Amino acid sequence: MAEEHYLELSENPVQFEHASSVNNVFFDEANKQVFAVRSGGATGVVVKGPDDKSSVAFRMDDKGEVKCIKFSIGNKILAVQRTSKSVAPPDVSAAPQTRNASILGFCWTSWNEIVFITDQGVEFYQVFPDKRNLKLLKSQSINVNWYQYCPETAVILLSTTVQGNVLQPLAFKNGNVSKMSKFEIELPVIPKPAKLSLSERDVAMATIYGQLYVMYLKHHSRTANSPGAEVVLYHLPREGPCKKSHVLKLNTTGKFALNIVDNLVVVHHQSSQTSLIFDIRLKEPDCSVNTQQPVLPARSIHPYRIPLTTVTEESPALNAAVPPPYSRWQYTLH
């Protein structure tokens, strides 16, 4: 009997050169683009979208290691972060409100609006590429450990406090930013003395059945009292408090990855090479927090052989610098 599979990869996967000592790979969730940056951009930057038609390639001056690189929505403006103090290339310079801060990253919320997240807060700017300047729209001072961004809802989630488990969501829309209700993730163990205990890798945001959820991968040692890890879902409405709504029982331990496919929560278990599927619309009666088991037995993703390709710097598309209409500018912390 042939083995059954619930999931399979796309017939046309996005292929790119693997990460190495000379090649850095980045994924931009907003535009669904993979960036492969060779030698700081000097020997080529290859950008691939969901299909080959959206691929571009260009060169940049090598001004150091690239920490983050993203196009604005619609690929109008390119921003590159190389240090914890600036975002370049250097066509425009802007002095922010926050001094002596380190840039953790940035998010484009529209084609000309960008948010910089630092360890001391966030700064929301409008970009004028033709005039080569920025306009500060809003700033928020808050100690930040790490952040997550949901491009579908333009909501940024900030990890605050020493333990990192108090989360502050901010919503961005049409040049405005609004503070949503902050909430606390329940940790399995409270460390003493207090230290950062909630990792960015254990938290994800997703839109499921039209609603925004924060998903927390809660690790447990497998014991008689605890069958293993679980995924805890917090429903995050635009207005009103955030509430714990679902607990997905994984019944195992180890390393996991999360995906949302057709509003189903798919949890991939690394060591067994299987995936678990949950449907949060299946509710228990009269229960404020819905505890759920997988809707189907665990199965592996359908095997798929990906042909190997090589990206070479001799490609004609790599012979030019950043091509028009992409604008470039710089944001610098002083």
Side-chain angles (χ1 to χ4, degrees):
M1 180 177 176
E3 185 178 358
E4 297 180 351
H5 305 278
Y6 309 130
L7 305 170
E8 64 180 12
L9 299 180
S10 166
E11 295 182 356
N12 299 303
V14 176
Q15 298 186 56
F16 51 90
E17 188 175 359
H18 65 83
S20 67
S21 59
V22 297
N23 187 63
N24 289 335
V25 178
F26 305 89
F27 179 64
D28 175 19
E29 184 68 37
N31 289 315
K32 310 298 181 187
Q33 292 174 325
V34 177
F35 287 75
V37 183
R38 287 182 57 86
S39 304
T43 55
V45 179
V46 178
V47 186
K48 295 198 172 185
D51 56 74
D52 289 337
K53 295 180 180 179
S54 59
S55 299
V56 295
F58 53 87
R59 293 181 188 272
M60 301 187 302
D61 294 335
D62 184 3
K63 297 186 177 180
E65 179 186 359
V66 173
K67 295 182 177 295
C68 187
I69 180 170
K70 297 176 186 178
F71 277 120
S72 65
I73 307 301
N75 298 338
K76 299 292 185 181
I77 309 171
L78 177 67
V80 184
Q81 180 186 351
R82 297 184 186 270
T83 74
S84 62
K85 299 296 181 183
S86 67
V87 175
D91 284 348
V92 175
S93 180
Q97 301 293 308
T98 307
R99 298 179 182 273
N100 301 320
S102 295
I103 300 173
L104 302 178
F106 62 89
C107 303
W108 288 100
T109 58
S110 75
W111 80 268
N112 69 337
E113 292 177 352
I114 192 169
V115 183
F116 291 92
I117 303 96
T118 76
D119 57 358
Q120 296 184 26
V122 298
E123 297 184 12
F124 186 30
Y125 285 91
Q126 185 175 3
V127 181
F128 298 93
D130 295 337
K131 298 180 180 179
R132 297 184 177 181
N133 62 20
L134 306 171
K135 176 184 177 183
L136 180 64
L137 300 176
K138 186 74 174 180
S139 64
Q140 177 74 47
S141 295
I142 184 172
N143 291 329
V144 180
N145 302 304
W146 49 262
Y147 72 96
Q148 293 273 8
Y149 179 55
C150 179
E152 292 81 10
T153 57
V155 171
I156 294 178
L157 191 68
L158 306 175
S159 164
T160 69
T161 70
V162 175
Q163 294 174 180
N165 63 322
V166 176
L167 303 181
Q168 174 63 69
L170 301 174
F172 297 82
K173 186 177 181 180
N174 298 329
N176 296 313
V177 54
S178 57
K179 233 180 182 182
M180 302 169 68
S181 297
K182 67 180 179 181
F183 62 100
E184 182 175 344
I185 297 286
E186 300 174 9
L187 298 175
V189 178
I190 305 299
K192 293 182 180 180
K195 63 179 181 179
L196 186 62
S197 302
L198 184 63
S199 169
E200 177 184 0
R201 293 174 296 179
D202 294 333
V203 175
M205 287 195 293
T207 302
I208 308 173
Y209 291 116
Q211 299 294 315
L212 179 60
Y213 289 88
V214 174
M215 302 185 293
Y216 165 45
L217 182 55
K218 188 175 183 180
H219 293 278
H220 282 294
S221 298
R222 195 166 187 176
T223 64
N225 297 326
S226 175
E230 55 193 30
V231 178
V232 183
L233 271 63
Y234 293 80
H235 178 220
L236 187 56
R238 283 280 178 172
E239 298 181 358
C242 178
K243 295 182 179 180
K244 183 165 70 172
S245 59
H246 299 78
V247 177
L248 312 182
K249 295 291 187 178
L250 305 185
N251 303 312
T252 187
T253 60
K255 293 183 178 180
F256 303 89
L258 300 174
N259 279 120
I260 304 299
V261 181
D262 294 334
N263 293 309
L264 299 176
V265 180
V266 183
V267 184
H268 308 281
H269 184 222
Q270 185 182 64
S271 61
S272 67
Q273 299 182 12
T274 59
S275 301
L276 303 166
I277 298 177
F278 297 85
D279 187 351
I280 66 171
R281 276 214 170 157
L282 301 178
K283 296 183 178 180
E284 294 182 353
D286 301 324
C287 187
S288 59
V289 178
N290 190 3
T291 301
Q292 293 185 316
Q293 299 289 339
V295 297
L296 296 166
R299 294 275 191 246
S300 297
I301 297 175
H302 192 283
Y304 183 82
R305 185 179 297 276
I306 300 176
L308 296 178
T309 59
T310 302
V311 178
T312 62
E313 62 176 280
E314 286 79 14
S315 171
L318 295 177
N319 290 333
V322 179
Y326 311 134
S327 301
R328 303 182 296 174
W329 48 272
Q330 179 167 330
Y331 165 103
T332 305
L333 289 172
H334 298 285

